[in-house]
Amino acid sequence: MIRGMLPCALFLACLGCAAPVLTTRHVHSEPSWFVRLDSYADPRQSADQRYDHPAEWTESELKAVMERLLLHERVGLLDPSRPPRAVFSVGEISRLAPQLVEAFRAARSTEWVAFYLVTPVGADGEVTSGAFFVNGGRLHVVIANYHERITDGPEAKEAVRANPFRSLHGTKGSLTFDPARFVLASQAHWSGWSAPAGSELILDDKTFLDSLRQPAVLQSSSPPAPARSPATRVEPPPPAAEASTAPDEMELLKRKAQELEAELVHLKQRVHELEAQRSGQADKQLLR
């Protein structure tokens, strides 16, 4: 089943079974990447799950989610910890997000949104694949392969293209999100019908997106600035007007300078008076 993690006993029983046949509807397809809608061809399997599809997203909302998806790689007990790595690059997000919006809008309740990316690295290439779906009002993200080097020949790449849930060697880590407080669960995902598991993240996407909108709400409560007509052009003052204001400013500065000079003279006189008083007091003490 697509929902969450299958029970271990059921998974072990299915290892010897043939992989399920999928029905595919392409949203966007190129040799190196695609976004499509997958579902089980068997009506009995297809009836076992129902998603909250179709679903409405904006491109900016999906980009905000995708750019915060991270993979926390597992390391050995004696190995130093590694910082989480971004699941998608900026270029991958720009390519995928518009197609994911279209896929969610077109998805049926039995279809999940699958994706596949191959990055050329050396002679082999690296594959990243998985799926998005909404279930129980929450966004689920599954990463089956994360920059997985394709070293098992073209058959391995074709197996992932046939089912992006299929994990070649496991994700070697777990999906997380920044900020982590919006993560409801992070668990293994076995729906690829292969021994290695993918990683599934369940996200409180509504609360996260509401948190992004709060600054905009606060700004909208302040009184709006007066709108300027698009046809109005503010012209600079003519040179004559600028020249006419120069004498007035000069006179003002002169008056201020005179006032400061007068104040300075007054302060100097006061200093002399205080020095004279101090000198007179000193002379009286000597006479005593």
Side-chain angles (χ1 to χ4, degrees), residues 271-287:
V271 169
H272 290 316
E273 292 174 358
L274 292 174
E275 288 179 346
Q277 290 177 3
R278 183 182 297 176
S279 177
Q281 291 175 356
D283 292 341
K284 290 179 180 179
Q285 292 178 355
L286 289 174
L287 291 174

Side-chain angles (χ1 to χ4, degrees), residues 42 74 110 155 162 228:
D42 187 342
R74 291 188 297 270
T110 57
E155 295 81 6
R228 178 183 294 173

Side-chain angles (χ1 to χ4, degrees), residues 10 38 45 60 78 93 122 137-138 157 164 173 242 252 256 284:
L10 179 59
D38 284 350
Q45 290 178 306
S60 61
L78 301 179
I93 293 173
R138 308 299 186 186
K157 183 166 68 174
E242 292 180 357
L252 179 62
K256 288 185 177 180
K284 290 179 180 179

